[in-house]
Amino acid sequence: MSWLVDPFADFAFMQRALLGCLAISLGATPVGVFLLLRRMSLTGDAMAHAILPGAAVGYLVAGLNLGAMTIGGVAAGLIVAVLTGAVARFTALREDASLAAFYLISLALGVLLVSLKGSNVDLMHVLFGTVLALDDAALMLLCAITTFTLVALALVFRPLVLECADPRFLASVSRWSGPVHFLFLGLVVLNLVAGFQALGTLMAVGIMILPAAAARFWASSIGGMLAVAATVAAVSSVAGLLASYHAGLPSGPAIILAAGTLYLLSLAFGPSGSLAARYWPRAHLEA
């Protein structure tokens, strides 16, 4: 078992990477579960690209500075979310098309801005992250975002679940519909920024959506999905970091591929709604 324990016992950078990934797993996966339930999975992917120009502006102003890139990423994500809603509300364009347009513009603008000042190495850092280079400031930020996310979700859990089931009913009986929706979008942006610090803008959404999708095949209740998704994300983080250490693979893509592997296994063999459950159902006991 030394291959499993020694990398984390012997090297501080592996310990930091593991702690950062576990923090992201606890904070991002509940958001991913609700994105899945609200049929907004692709919205998360689009928002992950939308934070890039803000992070790029922070990079142009202060270099690879954690605070500047975080503030820029959050601001850019919130601006895109507000503009998307405004265009959908006041024009004939639907929200999905508006979001797609803004995220494509944001992605191109972000890559262009990073390329103006930085090298290809800097661009790869922004796009794919450097989970093995997390420092104390980055870990504190990740843990703070995770704590805020869990507290916020606990406070609005019931209206958020109701909005997933029947948003029109919630809007008709409560004033919480609008505030809950925008709070949820804010949590999406915050956790994408957290994931961006470790996995980059292109990979951050993976740790949010893939564990949530895998959990759908193992649990039917929201509580069960939240627990399974967090477990899948944590296992994927450990597996990806070990693969990165032993095989010399890029850590971010290795973590997301580990999550993707668990998703495919869940899709094939999970007990709830998987291919195996549909085509080879278990025999029921008869009296």
Side-chain angles (χ1 to χ4, degrees):
M1 295 294 289
S2 60
W3 65 273
L4 180 63
V5 177
D6 287 351
F8 300 111
D10 296 340
F11 299 101
F13 71 90
M14 290 292 289
Q15 297 170 8
R16 294 172 182 271
L18 179 61
L19 178 59
C21 288
L22 292 179
I24 295 171
S25 299
L26 287 176
T29 50
V31 175
V33 168
F34 283 109
L35 280 173
L36 190 73
L37 294 174
R38 292 159 64 103
R39 297 180 176 87
M40 294 174 61
S41 300
L42 291 179
T43 299
D45 182 57
M47 294 303 297
H49 295 83
I51 68 175
L52 182 56
V57 170
Y59 168 75
L60 289 176
V61 172
L64 294 174
N65 179 275
L66 176 66
M69 295 178 70
T70 297
I71 293 172
V74 171
L78 293 177
I79 288 172
V80 168
V82 171
L83 289 177
T84 297
V87 169
R89 182 180 180 90
F90 297 111
T91 72
L93 196 64
R94 295 182 59 179
E95 187 172 14
D96 59 339
S98 175
L99 182 60
F102 280 118
Y103 111 74
L104 290 170
I105 294 170
S106 297
L107 178 61
L109 179 60
V111 172
L112 180 64
L113 288 174
V114 174
S115 300
L116 285 177
K117 180 178 178 181
S119 63
N120 289 335
V121 174
D122 296 325
L123 181 60
M124 294 293 287
H125 168 84
V126 172
L127 294 179
F128 298 104
T130 53
V131 66
L132 297 180
L134 294 176
D135 56 13
D136 289 341
L139 289 177
M140 290 179 63
L141 174 67
L142 297 183
C143 292
I145 290 176
T146 295
T147 302
F148 177 79
T149 298
L150 294 178
V151 171
L153 288 177
L155 292 175
V156 299
F157 185 80
R158 293 183 65 182
L160 190 57
V161 171
L162 184 56
E163 191 182 35
C164 292
D166 194 342
R168 292 184 179 180
F169 175 74
L170 178 63
S172 66
V173 300
S174 173
R175 297 179 180 179
W176 276 98
S177 180
V180 165
H181 179 71
F182 284 106
L183 174 61
F184 179 71
L185 288 180
L187 293 178
V188 172
V189 172
L190 275 178
N191 281 276
L192 287 173
V193 169
F196 154 76
Q197 304 297 337
L199 303 173
T201 57
L202 295 185
M203 297 289 171
V205 72
I207 202 66
M208 184 180 289
I209 298 298
L210 286 172
R216 173 62 183 83
F217 299 107
W218 295 96
S220 55
S221 67
I222 293 179
M225 289 181 66
L226 293 173
V228 173
T231 302
V232 169
V235 172
S236 302
S237 298
V238 173
L241 289 173
L242 288 173
S244 173
Y245 177 82
H246 290 294
L249 301 175
S251 53
I255 292 171
I256 302 307
L257 282 176
T261 300
L262 292 177
Y263 163 72
L264 293 176
L265 291 173
S266 302
L267 171 66
F269 304 111
S272 177
S274 67
L275 294 175
R278 179 173 182 178
Y279 293 106
W280 297 283
R282 291 176 293 181
H284 295 283
L285 297 176
E286 297 182 0

